[in-house]
Amino acid sequence: MRVSRDQARQNRQRVVATSSALFREKGVDGVGISDLMSEAGLTHGGFYKQFGSKAELVEEACALALDDTMAFWDGYLEGAADPRARFIRAYLSQQQRDRVSEGCLLPALAGEARRETPAIRSVFTRAIHAYADRLDQPVDARTAQSRAEALSTLSEMVGAILLARVTDDPQLSNEILKAARDHILGAPPEATSDR
Amino acid sequence: MRVSRDQARQNRQRVVATSSALFREKGVDGVGISDLMSEAGLTHGGFYKQFGSKAELVEEACALALDDTMAFWDGYLEGAADPRARFIRAYLSQQQRDRVSEGCLLPALAGEARRETPAIRSVFTRAIHAYADRLDQPVDARTAQSRAEALSTLSEMVGAILLARVTDDPQLSNEILKAARDHILGAPPEATSDR
DNA sequence: ATTATCTATAGATCTATAGATAATGC
DNA sequence: ATTATCTATAGATCTATAGATAATGC
């Protein structure tokens, strides 16, 4: 029954990783300790030897969601001619809209996180800064104006994904994504970039 | 114990109204049938004589939230010189951010509503159309372009409120609101309109 | 007689804890 | 000896239903 110290560390990390996906997919209230533990191949009894409370896991899972997605974006944008445009186009794609459990934590969880602990809300503050940094000018060219633009662009991206996900009208959903892309990046020359 | 037909109708309506506020404030999973009924001055046993299920109440409560807020906005904007600007400024105010239980259902509940029944999601589709209509040109001047702009403006408004509510940094919260207002309406001539 | 509301409860959760078990780490 | 994980369970929910009660509406 017992397991090596290293195996235990891995088990714990697997709980955080599966929670990070399941919380985004089903919401924090939508999955119980049992679900999270058994998804990681464990039983629920061991949970409180690894975490102080569910809220503590939520905090870690949100932080991991942030770090993972940021690592993904930084890799995806590395060496791009226009990283900001590439970022915005990919973020506002149908793929990102549909892959909730691997996507940005802001549209997925910010609505509920508003009511969570200060520690959890501060992860969301970090997330806002992290995303705004990627939308802003290169570090040496930043101004109050460019920062305001970055925040306003982020608001539009997050809002568009949120609305595109909640509507039951698939056509409206795509229309919302396209409107946000075109508005932020300027309309495409032809009907080229609906994908 | 029994009550007149008219009184019963009023009781039922009071349950929907208090639910509409409580769901926005605490989330659908955050309030139980007991809470909703006792907030309306009733006991929980009578609930299922009035509603088929909790989901049915959620649908009605969201629809009422939409109708109430739209009636408010239409009154608030009636006769304004520039109704669109007045709408955007008020929606993106600190008051709207802080009055969650009386505010727009989109930032408050869209995140959870994604996982709800089709009937509930279709209320959110109606909400998107209703808000976009108020942001679009007068009916006879609408184009595909103006509609896309309305949707993109709505995304930014909803996203800005969502982010301004989730962060635990009050300064960042105000910065997000101001950035969205300035971006949508154009920067103010002087530092006039932070309020 | 009908019915709106009440009390009481079933059955299924959910978070958290207690104590047993069996393998690691000294 | 320590400890990671297991089984079992406490206590508090939550949705939904059953049956009683008392006032309305015919």
Side-chain angles (χ1 to χ4, degrees), chain B residues 1-3 8 11 43-45 49-50:
Chain B
M1 276 183 163
R2 195 183 165 192
V3 116
N11 287 348
T43 59
H44 69 280
K49 295 278 145 58
Q50 292 283 15

Side-chain angles (χ1 to χ4, degrees), chain A residues 127-162:
Chain A
I128 293 170
H129 287 300
Y131 276 95
D133 283 349
R134 270 85 179 169
L135 293 165
D136 206 334
Q137 299 289 325
V139 189
D140 50 357
R142 290 184 188 170
T143 62
Q145 172 66 17
S146 75
R147 178 182 164 85
E149 266 171 40
L151 286 175
S152 124
T153 299
L154 176 61
S155 293
E156 180 164 354
M157 290 162 66
V158 170
I161 291 288
L162 186 76

Side-chain angles (χ1 to χ4, degrees), chain B residues 72-188:
Chain B
F72 165 77
W73 286 120
D74 287 342
Y76 180 77
L77 301 175
E78 178 148 359
D82 186 346
R84 181 172 166 279
R86 186 165 154 88
F87 180 29
I88 291 161
R89 242 187 290 273
Y91 188 102
L92 289 169
S93 68
Q94 297 174 26
Q95 288 77 12
Q96 277 295 310
R97 177 197 61 197
D98 296 338
R99 282 197 214 123
V100 182
S101 67
E102 302 160 12
C104 178
L105 78 166
L106 292 171
L109 289 172
E112 315 175 41
R114 205 193 85 229
R115 298 181 296 265
E116 298 284 349
T117 65
I120 293 170
R121 293 177 67 199
S122 101
V123 175
F124 282 79
T125 298
R126 273 213 297 124
I128 294 170
H129 286 300
Y131 276 93
D133 283 348
R134 269 84 179 171
L135 293 166
D136 206 335
Q137 300 288 326
V139 189
D140 51 357
R142 290 182 188 173
T143 62
Q145 173 64 18
S146 76
R147 178 180 164 84
E149 266 171 41
L151 286 175
S152 125
T153 299
L154 176 61
S155 293
E156 181 164 353
M157 290 163 66
V158 170
I161 291 288
L162 185 76
L163 298 181
R165 280 177 181 166
V166 76
T167 182
D168 62 337
D169 177 345
Q171 210 170 327
L172 177 62
S173 179
N174 290 338
E175 207 181 334
I176 290 166
L177 294 181
K178 180 165 166 45
R181 283 194 310 263
D182 291 353
H183 174 252
I184 298 174
L185 296 171

Side-chain angles (χ1 to χ4, degrees), chain A residues 41-183:
Chain A
L42 300 167
T43 58
H44 69 279
F47 182 83
Y48 290 90
K49 293 278 144 59
Q50 293 282 15
F51 303 95
S53 65
K54 189 181 182 185
E56 200 179 296
L57 171 64
V58 174
E59 183 193 339
E60 277 195 58
C62 287
L64 182 67
L66 174 58
D67 295 343
D68 279 354
T69 48
M70 280 303 154
F72 165 77
W73 286 120
D74 287 341
Y76 181 77
L77 301 175
E78 177 149 0
D82 186 347
R84 181 174 166 277
R86 185 165 156 86
F87 180 29
I88 291 160
R89 241 187 291 273
Y91 189 102
L92 289 168
S93 68
Q94 297 175 25
Q95 288 78 11
Q96 277 296 310
R97 177 197 59 197
D98 296 337
R99 283 199 213 121
V100 182
S101 67
E102 301 160 11
C104 178
L105 78 165
L106 293 170
L109 290 172
E112 315 175 41
R114 205 192 84 229
R115 298 181 295 265
E116 298 284 349
T117 64
I120 294 170
R121 293 177 66 200
S122 102
V123 175
F124 281 79
T125 298
R126 274 211 298 124
I128 293 170
H129 287 300
Y131 276 95
D133 283 349
R134 270 85 179 169
L135 293 165
D136 206 334
Q137 299 289 325
V139 189
D140 50 357
R142 290 184 188 170
T143 62
Q145 172 66 17
S146 75
R147 178 182 164 85
E149 266 171 40
L151 286 175
S152 124
T153 299
L154 176 61
S155 293
E156 180 164 354
M157 290 162 66
V158 170
I161 291 288
L162 186 76
L163 297 182
R165 280 177 181 166
V166 76
T167 181
D168 62 337
D169 177 345
Q171 209 170 327
L172 177 62
S173 179
N174 290 339
E175 206 181 336
I176 290 166
L177 294 181
K178 181 164 164 48
R181 283 193 310 262
D182 291 352
H183 174 251

